[in-house]
């Protein structure tokens, strides 16, 4: 990927990240309330955008950053896709 394309994707990603974070912060839902699932989906999108930034950052891919991103995505996904034990998979990222 050339630098122009990388920078354009990262720029669009930052704009999407800003919108996602402000939307998440505006959602006042608490666990167990009707809007909680939507709030978690927004948080999952936010974490996916963090993964995008980690993946496209110049230089070597940060193994620690990638672990952090995947841990967050799996932990949030565990609530959205019950029965797959994604949180236990997430825990293994740091025990390895």
């Amino acid at each position: 990927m050339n630098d122009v394309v990388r920078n354009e994707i990262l720029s669009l990603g930052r704009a999407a990240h800003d919108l996602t974070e402000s939307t998440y912060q505006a959602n006042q839902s608490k666990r167990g309330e009707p809007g909680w699932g939507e709030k978690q989906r927004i948080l999952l999108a936010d974490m996916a955008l963090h993964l995008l930034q980690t993946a496209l950052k110049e230089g070597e891919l940060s193994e620690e950053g990638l672990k952090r991103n995947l841990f967050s995505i799996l932990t949030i996904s565990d609530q959205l896709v019950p029965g797959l034990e994604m949180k236990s998979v997430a825990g293994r990222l740091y025990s390895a």
Side-chain angles (χ1 to χ4, degrees):
M1 173 181 311
N2 68 44
D3 288 342
V4 172
V5 171
R6 178 189 315 273
N7 289 334
E8 182 66 18
I9 293 169
L10 287 170
S11 177
L12 292 167
R14 279 189 296 277
H17 185 249
D18 290 345
L19 284 169
T20 304
E21 281 197 344
S22 64
T23 302
Y24 179 81
Q25 291 171 356
N27 186 323
Q28 299 300 309
S29 299
K30 305 282 188 250
R31 185 181 295 274
E33 294 180 351
W36 178 253
E38 179 67 16
K39 186 172 185 175
Q40 294 308 289
R41 289 176 60 177
I42 296 165
L43 183 59
L44 181 60
D46 180 56
M47 293 301 109
L49 290 163
H50 281 280
L51 178 59
L52 171 87
Q53 292 168 339
T54 297
L56 294 183
K57 185 176 180 181
E58 284 202 39
E60 292 294 314
L61 180 65
S62 166
E63 184 177 315
E64 197 57 37
L66 180 58
K67 282 182 181 180
R68 222 178 8 260
N69 295 149
L70 293 173
F71 178 86
S72 298
I73 289 169
L74 289 167
T75 301
I76 296 161
S77 295
D78 189 65
Q79 302 170 62
L80 302 172
V81 186
L84 293 182
E85 305 300 326
M86 290 188 202
K87 195 166 186 169
S88 67
V89 174
R92 290 194 307 230
L93 288 168
Y94 287 104
S95 63

